[in-house]
Structure formats: C-alpha cells, structure tokens
Amino acid sequence: MWKTILRRVLIMIPQLILLSVLVFILAKMMPGDPFTGLITPQTDPAQIAHLKAAAGLNDPWWTQYFHWVVNMFHGDLGQSYTYKRAVTGLIGERAVNTFWLALLTVVISYGIAIPFGVIAGRYEDSLRDKGIQLYTFVLLAMPSFVFYLFGLVVFGYVLQWFPTSGYVSLNADPGTIGYWGSRLYHMILPALVGGLVSTSGTIQYLRAGVIDNTNEDFVRTARSKGVPERVVFNRHILRNSLLPIAAFLGNSITGLLGGSIYVETIFSYQGMGQLFVSSITANDYSVITALTLLFGFLTLLGNLLSDIIMSIVDPRVRVE
C-alpha cells in the first residue's frame, strides 16, 4: 500500500505544477490588475504605475510566476487588496470555518444516506424503496440552491429556528462554551440542508450495490450452507456494498473543504466558498489565485484519500 501512496504522491507533483501555471496564466488574462480597485478620479496615475512596477507587474509572466512560486513556498500568498491583510491568514481563518461546516455536513449526509440506501436495496420495489427513490429523484431533478433557499426561508425567516447569516454571534466570547455553542447553532441549518442535498448519489450507489451483491454467487453459497440471513446480509452483502461508499468519502470531505459556494453564499457563512465569490466580484487577484490553486490541490488530495481508503477496506484493489 505504501508503494501505491508514494506513486500517487509523485504523480501529483507534475499535476500541481501544471495546475499552478494554468491558474497563474488565467489570472493574468483577467481584465485589470490588483491595483484596479484603488483607482479613483483623484488617484495619481504615476502613483499606480509606481505600485505596479514595485510589485513586478511589468516583468515577463514567467518571471512573475517564479517569484509567485518562491513566495508561496515561504508561506507568502500576497496581500488582499479588498481585506487589507495577508492572504495566508485570511484563507486560514476561512478554512477553519469551512472545515467545521464540511465535517458536520458529511456526518449528516452519511448518517441519512447509508440507512436509506440499505433499506431501499434490501427491500427492493417495496413501498419504502419507492418512497426513497422518489426522494432521491426530487433531489437530483431540482438545483441545489433551490433547497438552500427553501431551508433559509422556512427555517430561518418563517419559523426562526436558526440564524440566517454569519458563523457565530457577535457577543460570543472566543474560547468559551457559549462561543462554540453559537458556532454549532449557526452551522446546523446550512449543514443540514447541505447534507440532505448531497445524500442522493450515495443512496443510489448503495442501493445498487446491495441489489447487485444480493445476487452474487458468494451470497448464494452462504445461504446454501445455512448461514443465518442476518449474518449473510451484514457480513457479505452490506460489507461489500459499502466499499464504493468508503472510497467516495475522501472526495466528499475535500470537496466540501473547497467550500460550497451556494450554501456559504446563501447563508452568508464566512467560509472559503463565500470568500472566493467576493474576491471575484472585487477582482482580488491574490485571493483568487490562492483559492483556485487550493481547490485544485484539494481535488487531487481527495482522489488520493479515496484510493487510500479503498486500499484499506479492500486489499484486492492495491496496486503493488
């Protein structure tokens, strides 16, 4: 397994290099520059030109790319001209918020999807199966932001059960129990809606896996030997059906860590997804390039984690 992990890590290196080049070039192709937002009718053009020269924006793109990479390895991702602070610290704060929201969303999603998928597959074509199938079809047919807006309006504004924006109360003291309780309270609604929306694929995969494994030869053999049905289902059918779901766990976590743009924007949750949208609106190039590269890295990391998890739960897939 360690050879497989090492091989995948080595493959990620040229992928990250290519990704960084593409991200940098695409950022340079965007209209304007990091100083565009500073220009007003009273701004001296000579001052802006001096700032551009001092920042190296007049150098060839490959020179700018080299300095950008060197600074990135030193933990310097530049300055955010919108928030007037270092990009590293800004993303670090938003990443913590997104991490807790992603963790709670995954727990809710798998906590709902696994029982529903097992019930739908074990009782195929029953009323329970048809009801769960209808639930997944509705989720797949409607855009996710519709459910986010529905949850916000109903549970946030109409019933007023949960906050409608932010990630913590303004009067909460950091480090106290009340502070963490407030953070959890603000996360429940976006995590619940996000978890419900993301259950459809997992339910369908698990249902299909249970149905397929029920008809496998090893299941028939176990039943012919008189193994109790409960043992057959738990040890043979369910265990093998959960293998693909376990593999998706890595991509699910890293995908949510990238920040759900819809849920964080609609619920005004200060995470990386909302930061990405606001940075694009404000042409904050340093934040845009850093987040885009981070999202790409998280995607590659998710694929690696999925392979590792799959190798642990099913040694047959290990590439030696």
Side-chain angles (χ1 to χ4, degrees), residues 4 36 84 93 113 135 161 223 234 238 254 269 288 294:
T4 303
T36 300
K84 310 300 182 183
E93 290 182 0
Y135 163 76
W161 289 355
R223 285 173 173 164
N234 292 333
L238 181 59
T254 55
Y269 185 84
I288 294 172
L294 178 60

Side-chain angles (χ1 to χ4, degrees), residues 26-37 280 282-285 288:
L26 290 175
K28 289 300 177 183
M29 293 174 63
M30 293 177 64
D33 55 60
F35 301 100
T36 300
I280 293 176
N283 285 337
D284 201 338
Y285 293 91
I288 294 172

